[in-house]
Amino acid sequence: MEFGFADADEDFRVEVRAWLSEHVDSDQDRRVWERTLGKSGWIGLGWPESGYGNRSATLTQQVAWAEEYARSDAPPRSGHIGENLLAPTLIAHGSEEQKSRFLPAIAAGDELWCQGYSEPGAGSDLAGVRTVAVRDGGDGSYRVTGQKIWTSLAHEADWCFVLARTEVGSRRHRGLSFLLVPMDQPGCVEVRPIRQLTGTSEFNEVFFDGARARAEHVVGGEGEGWAVAMSLLGFERGVSTLAQQIGFARELGRVVEVAVASGAVGDPVLRDRLVRQWAELKAMRWNALRTLGRAGDAGAPSVAKLLWGGWHQRLGELAMQVRGAAAAVGPVDWTPSLSYELDLFQNQFLFSRADTIYGGSDQVQRTIIAERVLGLPREPKGVV
């Protein structure tokens, strides 16, 4: 499958490459970097609406931007949850007041968001949400109480979009609402970082204890949270998948280099695995191109997640194998007073253990495909 770019797309790519070359600073603070992107209109290229301070770009130009960004070694994004998840959801389901209030701040890089979906005991089963939001009889606002877990970048976020139960006694997908909750509420919102195998803490627990959400910050209307939440998940995978694959190709290239340098490539089993990783990465790209811009394909996001999650996890394992026994030794000597350190491959291996869990576990993705695409009988659910 060939994917071509028009002359206008290539001109756009040249502009992107020049801008990134001038502005990228790998040591730059991530929040400062978001504002730098926003100042030049690079946040919100894929939004179906412009006029919020964001540039307008075609689908192929969005691909060009994502590819050049991945190649530039630009800092990791802190604003992608607001840009790629919340903003399209607001455009689809939000009121004009909600769009006017939140989209310009996202496009400027001024406000960062996190996603309050998963909960202890419910995991990827969003219909099992137990966080409640009770309407205040005075000002009509909601008081949110409950716990969310695996909340990416909550420690940096200004706001959280929270799926909560607003109807007393409701079960499963009924009685849920999609609330926009400010994080700066001392005593009402507590963020606890979760230390991972890698020693870092991108994920967090978030505790809400009567946190306030204004009445006008319910997206889609009270009780319509399930439909809004499902719509948001449809935005979760798209152009960014192609950029992700550029990063994967770089990681695979490093593994191949080590395999050649160490002589591990002489092992026919390892050589076969390296070739298989390369072929599967090509297949992922073709699948991403096949589904790019297509609406209504209920299984596409789940298939994409299953493909890249397993692939990246296997690459982490392969990175350890090509190094042999040396993979078990850290880059610096361990001391009781110094936390352990990891080299690039060790960090990749340990972090990739979560690839088949976060963003919807493999089991959940297979259930979605079975029920929504193949039409198989629904999986029995326990009573919540």
Side-chain angles (χ1 to χ4, degrees), residues 232-243:
L232 180 143
L233 293 178
F235 299 122
E236 195 163 10
R237 330 208 202 277
V239 170
S240 60
T241 302
L242 291 167

Side-chain angles (χ1 to χ4, degrees), residues 25 49 66 125 194 233 288 314 330 364:
D25 178 357
E49 294 180 8
D125 180 15
I194 300 173
L233 293 178
R314 292 191 296 275
V364 168

Side-chain angles (χ1 to χ4, degrees), residues 334-346:
W334 180 88
T335 66
S337 61
L338 182 66
S339 300
Y340 65 86
E341 292 190 26
L342 303 172
D343 63 27
L344 190 64
F345 281 3
Q346 291 167 336

Side-chain angles (χ1 to χ4, degrees), residues 64-114:
W65 162 260
E67 290 181 340
E68 293 304 318
Y69 192 94
R71 293 188 178 108
S72 70
D73 289 325
R77 293 290 308 280
S78 291
H80 62 91
I81 295 174
E83 177 187 11
N84 298 323
L85 299 185
L86 179 65
T89 303
L90 287 179
I91 291 172
H93 300 280
S95 65
E96 290 302 318
E97 292 75 13
Q98 289 168 349
K99 291 193 288 185
S100 297
R101 163 60 184 86
F102 293 108
L103 294 182
I106 294 173
D110 286 336
E111 290 182 345
L112 305 181
W113 287 80
C114 60

Side-chain angles (χ1 to χ4, degrees), residues 176-219:
L176 297 171
S177 296
F178 190 99
L179 308 169
L180 309 180
V181 182
M183 295 292 282
D184 186 14
Q185 300 190 56
C188 296
V189 180
E190 180 184 359
V191 178
R192 299 181 188 172
I194 300 173
R195 184 176 171 86
Q196 298 148 206
L197 284 172
T198 56
T200 57
S201 302
E202 291 90 349
F203 303 116
N204 305 268
E205 294 178 282
V206 181
F207 296 85
F208 298 100
D209 186 7
R212 182 172 179 264
R214 294 168 62 176
E216 60 267 32
H217 291 168
V218 179
V219 180

Side-chain angles (χ1 to χ4, degrees), residues 204-280:
N204 305 268
E205 294 178 282
V206 181
F207 296 85
F208 298 100
D209 186 7
R212 182 172 179 264
R214 294 168 62 176
E216 60 267 32
H217 291 168
V218 179
V219 180
E222 183 176 302
E224 299 300 322
W226 181 256
V228 177
M230 291 301 99
S231 175
L232 180 143
L233 293 178
F235 299 122
E236 195 163 10
R237 330 208 202 277
V239 170
S240 60
T241 302
L242 291 167
Q244 179 190 55
Q245 291 165 10
I246 291 176
F248 286 171
R250 284 185 168 183
E251 292 178 357
L252 176 58
R254 286 194 291 264
V255 173
V256 171
E257 289 176 2
V258 171
V260 172
S262 67
V265 74
D267 182 330
V269 175
L270 282 178
R271 189 166 62 248
D272 178 74
R273 289 194 62 188
L274 288 168
V275 172
R276 183 177 293 273
Q277 289 290 134
W278 176 86
E280 289 176 352

